[in-house]
Amino acid sequence: MRGKVLAFDTKSGNGTISGDDGNRYAMTGASLGAGVKGLMPGQEVDFVVANDNKATDIFPIKAHSASAPGGKSKVVAGLLALFLGGLGVHKFYLGRIGAGVFRILLLTLGYGMTLAAPFLVMGMGEAALVFSFLGLALILVLLVIQIVEAILYFTKTDEAFYEKYVLKK
């Protein structure tokens, strides 16, 4: 029979499938077919209904796309992190508003220190230069972090991305 995964918890291995016949079937991690490591809500599956009305021998019909349930794509998140990571756009995209605001504040602080410091502390000589270089260092650290985050998003499996960034486990 075919159906869609309604819920699946990778920790407990329990979940529910909605069959094409309109019935719901309980499942466990042991019910997964050989080589299947996990499922995601919304994923189409083929399964066998056991005598106890539970789903067994569950196999995905097709590989899940890069767009996880909830409309969050690891490719979009990675591109946003790579190109707009300093502004925290990828954090906003993933629903982590606090982290996005924090990223904007850090970037503003870095640019403020780098660009405004020489004008604000005129006559302080080397202190203004050191202050400006600290701001530049902050900007460079943020750049490295956004590149690392982009690589993490691109290299995670769809299941791992879904669990960590969409479900926020």
Side-chain angles (χ1 to χ4, degrees):
M1 176 181 299
R2 291 187 175 213
K4 275 191 177 180
V5 177
L6 295 177
F8 182 74
D9 182 5
T10 54
K11 290 184 182 177
S12 69
N14 295 325
T16 307
I17 296 176
S18 175
D20 285 345
D21 62 356
N23 293 322
R24 292 185 179 194
Y25 301 94
M27 57 176 270
T28 64
S31 305
L32 298 177
V36 179
K37 295 179 182 170
L39 299 169
M40 294 188 298
Q43 192 168 17
E44 293 182 28
V45 292
D46 184 61
F47 62 99
V48 174
V49 179
N51 292 338
D52 57 356
N53 217 26
K54 291 189 177 183
T56 61
D57 296 324
I58 304 165
F59 290 95
I61 292 176
K62 59 184 176 184
H64 211 67
S65 67
S67 178
K72 304 299 181 193
S73 164
K74 71 178 191 175
V75 173
V76 171
L79 290 172
L80 289 173
L82 193 59
F83 295 110
L84 299 170
L87 295 171
V89 174
H90 61 297
K91 298 293 187 183
F92 290 106
Y93 174 73
L94 294 173
R96 296 176 180 216
I97 307 303
V101 170
F102 185 67
R103 187 67 62 93
I104 289 173
L105 292 175
L106 284 178
L107 187 68
T108 303
L109 177 66
Y111 274 111
M113 289 171 66
T114 302
L115 301 174
F119 299 108
L120 295 175
V121 289
M122 290 238 180
M124 293 187 69
E126 289 182 18
L129 190 60
V130 169
F131 196 68
S132 185
F133 279 126
L134 286 175
L136 183 60
L138 178 59
I139 293 169
L140 292 175
V141 166
L142 287 173
L143 178 65
V144 169
I145 290 171
Q146 78 186 56
I147 291 170
V148 168
E149 285 180 328
I151 291 169
L152 287 174
Y153 295 156
F154 287 133
T155 57
K156 283 201 179 295
T157 64
D158 290 341
E159 292 83 8
F161 178 83
Y162 174 72
E163 284 182 24
K164 182 159 185 158
Y165 301 109
V166 178
L167 291 179
K168 299 173 186 160
K169 287 186 177 180

mmCIF file of all heavy atoms in Angstrom, residues 11-33:
data_model
loop_
_atom_site.group_PDB
_atom_site.id
_atom_site.type_symbol
_atom_site.label_atom_id
_atom_site.label_comp_id
_atom_site.label_asym_id
_atom_site.label_seq_id
_atom_site.Cartn_x
_atom_site.Cartn_y
_atom_site.Cartn_z
ATOM 1 N N LYS A 11 14.289 9.662 17.351
ATOM 2 C CA LYS A 11 14.808 9.187 18.639
ATOM 3 C C LYS A 11 14.060 7.950 19.122
ATOM 4 O O LYS A 11 14.667 6.964 19.511
ATOM 5 C CB LYS A 11 14.743 10.298 19.684
ATOM 6 C CG LYS A 11 15.744 11.402 19.416
ATOM 7 C CD LYS A 11 15.726 12.439 20.495
ATOM 8 C CE LYS A 11 16.723 13.531 20.130
ATOM 9 N NZ LYS A 11 16.721 14.609 21.064
ATOM 10 N N SER A 12 12.747 8.007 19.115
ATOM 11 C CA SER A 12 11.955 6.863 19.594
ATOM 12 C C SER A 12 11.706 5.856 18.473
ATOM 13 O O SER A 12 11.446 4.692 18.736
ATOM 14 C CB SER A 12 10.619 7.337 20.162
ATOM 15 O OG SER A 12 9.779 7.833 19.125
ATOM 16 N N GLY A 13 11.758 6.312 17.232
ATOM 17 C CA GLY A 13 11.487 5.443 16.097
ATOM 18 C C GLY A 13 10.008 5.246 15.833
ATOM 19 O O GLY A 13 9.636 4.455 14.985
ATOM 20 N N ASN A 14 9.163 5.951 16.550
ATOM 21 C CA ASN A 14 7.718 5.812 16.369
ATOM 22 C C ASN A 14 7.194 6.843 15.381
ATOM 23 O O ASN A 14 7.747 7.930 15.256
ATOM 24 C CB ASN A 14 6.995 5.982 17.707
ATOM 25 C CG ASN A 14 7.355 4.876 18.681
ATOM 26 O OD1 ASN A 14 7.570 3.741 18.288
ATOM 27 N ND2 ASN A 14 7.450 5.221 19.948
ATOM 28 N N GLY A 15 6.106 6.480 14.714
ATOM 29 C CA GLY A 15 5.517 7.405 13.775
ATOM 30 C C GLY A 15 4.155 6.937 13.312
ATOM 31 O O GLY A 15 3.639 5.912 13.753
ATOM 32 N N THR A 16 3.584 7.728 12.404
ATOM 33 C CA THR A 16 2.265 7.430 11.866
ATOM 34 C C THR A 16 2.278 7.663 10.359
ATOM 35 O O THR A 16 2.851 8.637 9.880
ATOM 36 C CB THR A 16 1.198 8.347 12.502
ATOM 37 O OG1 THR A 16 1.291 8.252 13.911
ATOM 38 C CG2 THR A 16 -0.197 7.966 12.054
ATOM 39 N N ILE A 17 1.626 6.754 9.652
ATOM 40 C CA ILE A 17 1.491 6.872 8.198
ATOM 41 C C ILE A 17 0.011 6.949 7.866
ATOM 42 O O ILE A 17 -0.807 6.215 8.429
ATOM 43 C CB ILE A 17 2.112 5.652 7.479
ATOM 44 C CG1 ILE A 17 3.611 5.606 7.732
ATOM 45 C CG2 ILE A 17 1.806 5.691 5.984
ATOM 46 C CD1 ILE A 17 4.285 4.385 7.137
ATOM 47 N N SER A 18 -0.334 7.841 6.961
ATOM 48 C CA SER A 18 -1.691 7.920 6.448
ATOM 49 C C SER A 18 -1.719 7.157 5.130
ATOM 50 O O SER A 18 -1.066 7.548 4.159
ATOM 51 C CB SER A 18 -2.098 9.379 6.224
ATOM 52 O OG SER A 18 -3.370 9.444 5.624
ATOM 53 N N GLY A 19 -2.451 6.047 5.117
ATOM 54 C CA GLY A 19 -2.525 5.225 3.919
ATOM 55 C C GLY A 19 -3.450 5.830 2.876
ATOM 56 O O GLY A 19 -4.328 6.645 3.190
ATOM 57 N N ASP A 20 -3.256 5.429 1.635
ATOM 58 C CA ASP A 20 -4.121 5.903 0.553
ATOM 59 C C ASP A 20 -5.567 5.450 0.738
ATOM 60 O O ASP A 20 -6.476 5.998 0.116
ATOM 61 C CB ASP A 20 -3.595 5.410 -0.804
ATOM 62 C CG ASP A 20 -2.362 6.186 -1.253
ATOM 63 O OD1 ASP A 20 -2.088 7.256 -0.676
ATOM 64 O OD2 ASP A 20 -1.674 5.708 -2.180
ATOM 65 N N ASP A 21 -5.777 4.464 1.622
ATOM 66 C CA ASP A 21 -7.136 3.988 1.881
ATOM 67 C C ASP A 21 -7.862 4.851 2.917
ATOM 68 O O ASP A 21 -8.995 4.580 3.267
ATOM 69 C CB ASP A 21 -7.111 2.537 2.346
ATOM 70 C CG ASP A 21 -6.360 2.343 3.659
ATOM 71 O OD1 ASP A 21 -5.774 3.327 4.184
ATOM 72 O OD2 ASP A 21 -6.341 1.199 4.158
ATOM 73 N N GLY A 22 -7.191 5.901 3.425
ATOM 74 C CA GLY A 22 -7.807 6.811 4.390
ATOM 75 C C GLY A 22 -7.562 6.429 5.835
ATOM 76 O O GLY A 22 -7.909 7.180 6.737
ATOM 77 N N ASN A 23 -6.963 5.276 6.089
ATOM 78 C CA ASN A 23 -6.671 4.842 7.456
ATOM 79 C C ASN A 23 -5.275 5.286 7.881
ATOM 80 O O ASN A 23 -4.408 5.515 7.043
ATOM 81 C CB ASN A 23 -6.772 3.319 7.573
ATOM 82 C CG ASN A 23 -8.189 2.841 7.385
ATOM 83 O OD1 ASN A 23 -9.135 3.477 7.836
ATOM 84 N ND2 ASN A 23 -8.353 1.718 6.695
ATOM 85 N N ARG A 24 -5.081 5.362 9.194
ATOM 86 C CA ARG A 24 -3.768 5.691 9.747
ATOM 87 C C ARG A 24 -3.151 4.441 10.349
ATOM 88 O O ARG A 24 -3.844 3.644 10.972
ATOM 89 C CB ARG A 24 -3.895 6.780 10.808
ATOM 90 C CG ARG A 24 -4.308 8.096 10.203
ATOM 91 C CD ARG A 24 -4.322 9.196 11.214
ATOM 92 N NE ARG A 24 -4.696 10.440 10.551
ATOM 93 C CZ ARG A 24 -4.549 11.614 11.086
ATOM 94 N NH1 ARG A 24 -4.066 11.739 12.300
ATOM 95 N NH2 ARG A 24 -4.906 12.691 10.418
ATOM 96 N N TYR A 25 -1.845 4.315 10.155
ATOM 97 C CA TYR A 25 -1.128 3.136 10.609
ATOM 98 C C TYR A 25 0.061 3.552 11.464
ATOM 99 O O TYR A 25 0.850 4.420 11.072
ATOM 100 C CB TYR A 25 -0.654 2.299 9.417
ATOM 101 C CG TYR A 25 -1.789 1.853 8.540
ATOM 102 C CD1 TYR A 25 -2.162 2.589 7.415
ATOM 103 C CD2 TYR A 25 -2.513 0.711 8.847
ATOM 104 C CE1 TYR A 25 -3.215 2.193 6.611
ATOM 105 C CE2 TYR A 25 -3.577 0.299 8.047
ATOM 106 C CZ TYR A 25 -3.921 1.042 6.935
ATOM 107 O OH TYR A 25 -4.971 0.646 6.154
ATOM 108 N N ALA A 26 0.173 2.912 12.631
ATOM 109 C CA ALA A 26 1.320 3.158 13.508
ATOM 110 C C ALA A 26 2.535 2.442 12.933
ATOM 111 O O ALA A 26 2.416 1.442 12.224
ATOM 112 C CB ALA A 26 1.023 2.653 14.914
ATOM 113 N N MET A 27 3.704 2.970 13.256
ATOM 114 C CA MET A 27 4.942 2.344 12.789
ATOM 115 C C MET A 27 6.024 2.533 13.831
ATOM 116 O O MET A 27 5.933 3.404 14.698
ATOM 117 C CB MET A 27 5.383 2.967 11.472
ATOM 118 C CG MET A 27 5.587 4.469 11.545
ATOM 119 S SD MET A 27 6.199 5.199 10.052
ATOM 120 C CE MET A 27 7.931 5.090 10.309
ATOM 121 N N THR A 28 7.042 1.704 13.741
ATOM 122 C CA THR A 28 8.213 1.837 14.600
ATOM 123 C C THR A 28 9.451 1.841 13.716
ATOM 124 O O THR A 28 9.383 1.503 12.526
ATOM 125 C CB THR A 28 8.312 0.674 15.606
ATOM 126 O OG1 THR A 28 8.495 -0.541 14.874
ATOM 127 C CG2 THR A 28 7.071 0.582 16.482
ATOM 128 N N GLY A 29 10.581 2.212 14.298
ATOM 129 C CA GLY A 29 11.838 2.219 13.555
ATOM 130 C C GLY A 29 12.184 0.838 13.017
ATOM 131 O O GLY A 29 12.800 0.700 11.965
ATOM 132 N N ALA A 30 11.766 -0.207 13.740
ATOM 133 C CA ALA A 30 12.022 -1.573 13.290
ATOM 134 C C ALA A 30 11.189 -1.920 12.054
ATOM 135 O O ALA A 30 11.481 -2.893 11.358
ATOM 136 C CB ALA A 30 11.715 -2.549 14.424
ATOM 137 N N SER A 31 10.170 -1.113 11.778
ATOM 138 C CA SER A 31 9.299 -1.360 10.624
ATOM 139 C C SER A 31 9.905 -0.876 9.317
ATOM 140 O O SER A 31 9.385 -1.180 8.246
ATOM 141 C CB SER A 31 7.959 -0.642 10.812
ATOM 142 O OG SER A 31 7.349 -0.996 12.010
ATOM 143 N N LEU A 32 10.970 -0.102 9.417
ATOM 144 C CA LEU A 32 11.577 0.454 8.211
ATOM 145 C C LEU A 32 12.237 -0.652 7.396
ATOM 146 O O LEU A 32 12.805 -1.595 7.950
ATOM 147 C CB LEU A 32 12.613 1.513 8.570
ATOM 148 C CG LEU A 32 12.085 2.742 9.312
ATOM 149 C CD1 LEU A 32 13.226 3.675 9.680
ATOM 150 C CD2 LEU A 32 11.044 3.471 8.493
ATOM 151 N N GLY A 33 12.161 -0.513 6.090
ATOM 152 C CA GLY A 33 12.774 -1.493 5.204
ATOM 153 C C GLY A 33 14.287 -1.454 5.305
ATOM 154 O O GLY A 33 14.877 -0.517 5.850
#
